[in-house]
Amino acid sequence: MPLLTPAHLDRDFDYLVPPELDETARPGVRVRVRFAGRLVDGYLLSRHTGTDHPGKLVRLERVVSPERVLTPEILRLATTVAARYAGTRADVLRLAIPPRHARTENGEAARTGRRQPAGRAASATEAEAAAPVAVADSPGASVSELPDVPDGVEMSAWRRYRHGEAFITALTRRRGVRAAWQALPGENWARRLAELAAVVVAGGRSAVLMVPDQRDLDRVLAECEHLVGDSAVGLSAGLGPAARYRRWLAALRGTARVVVGTRAAVFAPVRELGLVAIWDDGDDTYAEPRAPYPHAREVAMLRAHDTGAAFIAAGYARTAEVQSVVENGWAHDLVADRAMVRAASARISAPGDSDMALERDPVARAVRIPGVAFAAARAALAAGEAVLVQVPRRGYVPALACGRCRTPARCRHCNGPLALPGAGSDGERDAPGPQSPTCRWCGRADAVFRCPVCGGRALRAVVIGAVRTAEELGRAFPGVPIRGSSGAEMLDTVPPGPQVVVATVGAEPLLDGGYGVGLLLDGWVLLSRADLRAAEDTLRRWLGAAALVKSEGRVIVMAEPALPTVQALVRWDPVGHAATELAQRTEVGFPPAVRMAAVDGTPDAIAEVLAAADLPDTVDVLGPVPLPGTERVPSAARSSAAETGEQIERVLLRAVRTDGQRLARALTTAQAIRSSHRSDSPLRVRIDPANI
């Protein structure tokens, strides 16, 4: 199969294997083939003695490596993902299989001795290692026939959740159980995931654990290494080519039985997959930014369904997508009783008079903290405890508006948002003072701003960033250490002791024993985003910060108490919030209740796709509408539109879930037709995009 970009060439091609390549040309190896007069990369899918091709076959040029990197399971998964997301197998395989690193491949083969020459039968030892372990799986099996739970697995921790012990037992019996796990506040979730992996490895199988970022990866990997030793490896984009390929080969060759990684780890070629786990699936890093734009959660569920492996979606919060598979019976709840939740969580409140309190108290207004929260923070610091302050944005003043009419301040050159940066290159300011607003897109300063609506020249802050917040808290709490955690300066942990930690959402550092008080500022900024998932994502951010506060502590959120999202936080009810969110999306026809495709491109490109696509009768065509300037689109589309003066537009295609595959096939066929006609108008097709 040549790795060809055009959609109409996404199919298998027959080549003649010359005698000199007979032994090395085995299914799954990388090859070089000649296509349309040029050499291209590809994979050998299968060998046959005959062909249906009526013409003359072109010879296989060479075998790049005898390493069989494309396993049958990954090929099936790539085919399924391409069909699900209206893409091509070539694009999926580029995401699934990293580029070859010859020195690493040859060095690992020489070191481990696991790479066997093509055509040689596996030895008895290798066959036994690759064979599945026989485990009793019948309800009447005696206890002695079942594998024991490995040492180090804290069953008492799992008994705090309904069906938690049954889930562990099912893993020991090699059953493909599927669950949505809501971790308790303060739970050592990294340890719990490592315990699940250890149970699977003890049964002779492998596990894939996915986390959003490198900080979580390091934490989970350390726990896995503690339980399973060198059988655990980490995979992430931050690794160099050699290190990444070395660890990927360890999974392929069976020396690594636990793979901990970010979104690309879902394609890890582990042997005898027994568990796929994903932590915090609502994080936007799980959405692949490259074609065909799959989501790691959906790929994980497809892989678990295909292989019969167990699946668990874990987190403090819950997405509507996970709630939908729970409600339709594909997965089941793994939650704690309400009494256990109340005992584990801090006391959470939302002051109803916060706005009036801020107006009365100038000090509280400066730090955007009402009196009750200010008093709680002072009491915690006096008791020697740390205070966590979560802010929605980093920087100094990341958003400005006209001081007279409140119109958002935009750059006169590129229409980007104006902001006040810090004085130093690292974003810190030695002292407050006036600065020229600077565009966050093009970097131009605008020293003579004039509002295009009312003509006003004064500017006001719409959102206060982490740097400015830390500066104001330093004045409010003199003598108290102020630590910041955001962006590139993210802290993993902070030492115990009285201090104020100002962190942006998702960058909250860990503290042994937990924080005494957590303050969640500017909740309206997160909730007021024009996004389908604004409420869901806000609750996820809040729960993540509140889980770091000790059970005897307090969490105070600065937001309207009557809002359903705030009430869900106060009650610590992520399941109820997800059920409500799913019901609301079902009522208005948004994913996951329906399948939706977003088609972005020039008007001509969109018209070509709609004309070529044989859409199901149930499909609703919404649009086209101009694509917002803040939306990211392929650079080719932007440059093409800039040359022709055309506006980039978007069309939404909505279909009932039962017609989701038909919609994807129709769009795949339409793209193939455009490709065969050599249409050069840029186009992007995404199925169920994270942002609509």
Side-chain angles (χ1 to χ4, degrees):
M1 185 191 81
L3 294 178
L4 302 172
T5 302
H8 69 285
L9 298 178
D10 183 33
R11 57 188 178 89
D12 301 344
F13 291 89
D14 292 348
Y15 285 86
L16 181 66
V17 179
E20 62 270 19
L21 298 180
D22 181 61
E23 288 197 9
T24 56
R26 295 297 174 186
V29 300
R30 304 177 198 257
V31 295
R32 291 278 284 176
V33 297
R34 192 167 296 278
F35 190 90
R38 61 189 181 95
L39 287 175
V40 297
D41 295 320
Y43 297 100
L44 198 154
L45 302 183
S46 60
R47 292 280 300 269
H48 301 277
T49 57
T51 179
D52 296 332
H53 182 64
K56 181 180 178 181
L57 291 180
V58 178
R59 289 165 54 97
L60 194 69
E61 287 291 327
R62 68 186 179 95
V63 174
V64 176
S65 166
E67 192 78 46
R68 300 167 74 166
V69 295
L70 180 57
T71 65
E73 180 200 337
I74 298 302
L75 177 59
R76 291 196 309 271
L77 180 62
T79 303
T80 303
V81 172
R84 165 72 169 80
Y85 286 94
T88 64
R89 287 181 300 172
D91 283 337
V92 178
L93 290 177
R94 288 190 181 97
L95 303 177
I97 302 177
R100 179 175 181 252
H101 196 275
R103 181 179 301 175
T104 300
E105 183 177 291
N106 297 331
E108 286 298 296
R111 185 179 66 85
T112 63
R114 295 192 59 87
R115 179 169 143 193
Q116 64 185 42
R120 180 180 66 82
S123 65
T125 303
E126 291 168 339
E128 291 173 1
V133 178
V135 179
D137 194 27
S138 61
S142 64
V143 176
S144 60
E145 294 175 314
L146 298 176
D148 295 330
V149 175
D151 295 337
V153 177
E154 300 177 21
M155 291 302 298
S156 59
W158 287 104
R159 293 190 185 101
R160 298 192 299 169
Y161 302 93
R162 292 197 299 267
H163 313 303
E165 188 173 6
F167 187 83
I168 299 294
T169 302
L171 286 182
T172 63
R173 295 181 175 181
R174 300 169 59 92
R175 290 178 176 171
V177 289
R178 301 180 286 263
W181 172 40
Q182 302 312 127
L184 285 168
E187 178 68 272
N188 188 353
W189 59 268
R191 176 75 175 191
R192 301 288 86 80
L193 290 181
E195 291 171 354
L196 297 180
V199 171
V200 171
V201 171
R205 297 181 298 167
S206 302
V208 173
L209 311 178
M210 289 180 291
V211 292
D213 52 43
Q214 187 66 44
R215 182 177 65 167
D216 291 337
L217 190 155
D218 294 337
R219 183 179 174 189
V220 176
L221 182 59
E223 297 288 353
C224 289
E225 289 175 341
H226 176 72
L227 292 178
V228 300
D230 294 339
S231 296
V233 297
L235 279 179
S236 68
L239 297 171
R244 182 185 178 193
Y245 195 60
R246 181 182 302 111
R247 299 181 185 186
W248 187 87
L249 283 177
L252 176 68
R253 296 170 178 172
T255 58
R257 306 309 298 265
V258 178
V259 173
V260 184
T262 49
R263 60 173 178 263
V266 72
F267 294 104
V270 295
R271 295 186 180 181
E272 287 291 312
L273 180 64
L275 171 68
V276 183
I278 182 170
W279 172 260
D280 197 14
D281 66 290
D283 195 287
D284 56 6
T285 59
Y286 286 121
E288 176 60 54
R290 296 171 291 178
Y293 314 104
H295 195 285
R297 176 191 56 242
E298 305 300 318
V299 178
M301 290 193 291
L302 289 172
R303 188 173 185 184
H305 180 77
D306 175 66
T307 61
F311 170 82
I312 186 169
Y316 295 118
R318 178 176 291 188
T319 59
E321 285 76 11
V322 171
Q323 181 65 21
S324 68
V325 299
V326 171
E327 292 188 4
N328 66 29
W330 191 82
H332 65 80
D333 277 321
L334 195 59
V335 299
D337 294 327
R338 291 303 305 172
M340 186 68 69
V341 173
R342 286 193 293 269
S345 62
R347 184 157 59 96
I348 306 174
S349 61
D353 61 344
S354 59
D355 291 340
M356 292 184 292
L358 292 179
E359 290 297 329
R360 291 194 300 265
D361 189 346
V363 177
R365 184 169 62 250
V367 295
R368 310 183 316 286
I369 300 176
V372 60
F374 203 79
R378 281 194 178 280
L381 293 172
E385 297 176 333
V387 175
L388 175 64
V389 180
Q390 184 196 67
V391 294
R393 302 282 179 83
R394 61 181 179 178
Y396 194 74
V397 181
L400 295 168
C402 174
R404 181 187 300 173
C405 68
R406 304 299 191 264
T407 301
R410 315 293 293 190
C411 174
R412 68 181 69 187
H413 300 283
C414 69
N415 202 39
L418 295 181
L420 283 181
S425 59
D426 58 353
E428 299 290 343
R429 283 174 64 98
D430 297 329
Q435 277 191 325
S436 297
T438 303
C439 178
R440 291 167 52 194
W441 288 2
C442 67
R444 289 187 173 95
D446 191 348
V448 288
F449 169 81
R450 180 182 291 274
C451 177
V453 176
C454 68
R457 293 185 175 275
L459 288 168
R460 69 185 299 270
V462 176
V463 180
I464 303 299
V467 176
R468 175 72 177 270
T469 301
E471 181 181 278
E472 293 169 342
L473 288 172
R475 299 192 191 97
F477 300 107
V480 176
I482 308 293
R483 302 181 187 272
S485 177
S486 64
E489 300 177 352
M490 184 184 301
L491 301 175
D492 292 335
T493 60
V494 292
Q499 60 192 304
V500 176
V501 179
V502 182
T504 53
V505 289
E508 301 87 358
L510 300 177
L511 174 65
D512 287 341
Y515 293 89
V517 170
L519 306 179
L520 312 180
L521 303 187
D522 300 334
W524 63 271
V525 176
L526 297 175
L527 289 171
S528 61
R529 291 184 299 121
D531 191 289
L532 173 67
R533 305 175 190 275
E536 178 182 278
D537 188 63
T538 299
L539 181 61
R540 183 179 68 84
R541 300 289 195 179
W542 285 346
L543 290 174
L548 301 178
V549 179
K550 62 178 63 178
S551 58
E552 304 85 7
R554 292 191 62 184
V555 176
I556 303 175
V557 55
M558 266 54 82
E560 175 57 45
L563 295 175
T565 305
V566 178
Q567 286 300 307
L569 172 67
V570 172
R571 299 192 309 270
W572 200 278
D573 186 21
V575 176
H577 188 270
T580 302
E581 186 79 10
L582 178 61
Q584 292 175 347
R585 294 192 199 175
T586 302
E587 183 178 358
V588 298
F590 280 113
V594 299
R595 283 288 169 81
M596 185 170 285
V599 183
D600 303 335
T602 61
D604 290 342
I606 293 176
E608 286 178 338
V609 167
L610 296 181
D614 183 16
L615 300 175
D617 296 335
T618 60
V619 171
D620 295 329
V621 180
L622 310 177
V625 296
L627 197 66
T630 56
E631 179 73 12
R632 292 184 178 181
V633 297
S635 57
R638 283 291 182 201
S639 60
S640 175
E643 293 174 0
T644 61
E646 292 180 286
Q647 170 71 46
I648 301 297
E649 295 182 343
R650 167 171 292 177
V651 164
L652 296 178
L653 305 177
R654 180 171 58 191
V656 296
R657 289 190 62 86
T658 54
D659 282 338
Q661 286 293 345
R662 291 181 58 195
L663 172 62
R665 283 196 300 269
L667 290 174
T668 301
T669 302
Q671 293 181 86
I673 293 174
R674 288 188 70 249
S675 175
S676 64
H677 292 170
R678 299 183 181 275
S679 299
D680 57 357
S681 299
L683 187 78
R684 179 177 65 180
V685 176
R686 294 185 296 169
I687 303 293
D688 292 343
N691 299 313
I692 299 176

